[in-house]
Amino acid sequence: LSEGGFPDKAIDAIDEALPAVIVRSTGPDQLKRLRQLFCLRGAATQFSKAADPEMAVYLLDNPNIAGRFLHALDEADDPARAIAVLKVLRDFDPRRFNAQPEFCIAYAVVWDRPGGHWWVSAPIEDGTMLATYKFYADNGARLAVNPAQLPVELAVYVVGTRLNASERDWVLKKYPKFPVPATIYPEIRWTDKPAEALSPAHGMGGDKEYTLQNIKQMGGFCMEQAYYTENVCRLFGLPAVFAEGRGARGGHAWCGVLKFSPRVEWDFSIGRYWFDHYFKGEVLDPTDPDKKITDSA
């Protein structure tokens, strides 16, 4: 690592050792060995890309964190940037980092290539990633869900919020207690009046800043209703996602949220009007800004 990367012969040695271990991987010791080799194989190909070798060494010294991190990475991620995100979070609060690695890994695979909705053109406020990380720690008693207790696969639907500081403060003041998610969507008045609506995608709103405060004040289309719902839920720690699709009356946007009763599952009924036959929806993959997945995936 100190020389800029793992030598190729290390990868070759792992590849030579794997077949024999795979054949004998029936007992707990062999399975442990197999996991170790796969972790080292992933580290050899990914951690060597880190700009800071010290963080890569740290991951190697913590194989449980390293293994989950490698599992969360995919071809769309930027390993060097993802490792850099992990370093920022670890350096900010090492104790919390070690206690909540899944949450930190979710940040890494989302904020290595932060995306967002195409019509929200305002740049991300400097320091937003770390500010939201601190926000969830500072407001734990206010949250509907503690996202730090979620697995990576669900936490990614929380940590990607791009809300700026004024929006975060405004949401907490407006909602002393987290509202029922289904009641948030209709809070935004639907209007197609050019003089009133704030909807950049429809060319409405002029120079008005696209913030939750202004959306609440002015109203907009279904995409504003879904965007507002998604962001309020995420700020309270609840995994949520903007969904869109086509039905009897053309294009429409609704919101999906994670529910925990009577069982843990996604609920995509918020703003999804059954009588318009919105049978299929698509959502943005929070770990890949260029990819969409169906709401049934």
Side-chain angles (χ1 to χ4, degrees):
L1 281 168
S2 62
E3 298 176 356
F6 282 91
D8 290 339
K9 64 181 181 180
I11 298 176
D12 292 339
I14 295 170
D15 288 344
E16 289 179 9
L18 276 171
V21 178
I22 290 173
V23 170
R24 300 195 306 269
S25 59
T26 55
D29 290 340
Q30 290 291 355
L31 289 174
K32 180 180 179 180
R33 178 62 174 161
L34 186 61
R35 286 195 297 268
Q36 289 174 335
L37 287 173
F38 273 119
C39 184
L40 286 172
R41 184 66 167 77
T45 58
Q46 303 292 7
F47 294 174
S48 58
K49 301 172 184 177
D52 185 347
E54 184 273 335
M55 189 62 197
V57 171
Y58 175 89
L59 290 170
L60 285 173
D61 286 340
N62 292 270
N64 289 334
I65 298 177
R68 283 296 287 155
F69 175 55
L70 289 167
H71 178 77
L73 287 174
D74 61 28
E75 66 278 0
D77 285 303
D78 184 324
R81 291 186 179 181
I83 292 172
V85 170
L86 289 180
K87 178 173 171 56
V88 169
L89 300 181
R90 188 208 59 175
D91 290 352
F92 171 72
D93 189 340
R95 182 194 60 81
R96 189 180 180 209
F97 181 90
N98 285 298
Q100 303 171 348
E102 295 274 316
F103 194 44
C104 297
I105 292 170
Y107 266 95
V109 296
V110 170
W111 283 90
D112 64 326
R113 295 178 63 219
H117 300 297
W118 63 267
W119 65 91
V120 185
S121 59
I124 301 175
E125 187 175 79
D126 289 344
T128 294
M129 187 271 289
L130 185 57
T132 60
Y133 183 73
K134 294 167 61 177
F135 174 90
Y136 291 119
D138 295 342
N139 295 281
R142 296 282 305 277
L143 302 180
V145 176
N146 181 357
Q149 296 180 348
L150 296 172
V152 172
E153 292 81 2
L154 293 176
V156 294
Y157 290 97
V158 175
V159 304
T161 177
R162 296 171 46 148
L163 298 182
N164 60 40
S166 66
E167 290 178 286
R168 296 193 298 269
D169 292 342
W170 179 82
V171 168
L172 289 187
K173 291 177 181 177
K174 175 169 174 54
Y175 300 103
K177 183 179 179 182
F178 180 58
V180 176
T183 66
I184 302 173
Y185 187 97
E187 283 188 36
I188 304 305
R189 180 173 56 92
W190 191 96
T191 177
D192 59 358
K193 296 180 180 179
E196 299 177 8
L198 176 58
S199 185
H202 293 86
M204 298 180 184
D207 297 329
K208 200 74 171 179
E209 190 177 6
Y210 196 76
T211 63
L212 297 191
Q213 303 96 302
N214 290 337
I215 293 172
K216 182 67 174 68
Q217 178 185 8
M218 299 176 66
F221 289 77
C222 55
M223 59 197 315
E224 279 68 52
Q225 294 173 311
Y227 174 84
Y228 184 91
T229 305
E230 174 195 64
N231 278 284
V232 170
C233 288
R234 287 185 175 188
L235 207 61
F236 277 92
L238 183 66
V241 65
F242 178 102
E244 60 184 344
R246 300 191 67 81
R249 290 189 292 172
H252 182 58
W254 57 92
C255 189
V257 299
L258 191 70
K259 68 177 185 178
F260 296 87
S261 179
R263 62 183 181 181
V264 178
E265 62 183 345
W266 283 95
D267 175 9
F268 280 95
S269 67
I270 298 174
R272 190 177 196 166
Y273 308 127
W274 64 268
F275 47 82
D276 278 330
H277 308 303
Y278 297 112
F279 296 130
K280 179 182 177 182
E282 291 185 327
V283 306
L284 282 176
D285 183 341
T287 70
D288 182 356
D290 301 320
K291 179 182 178 181
K292 287 186 176 182
I293 53 180
T294 65
D295 58 4
S296 60

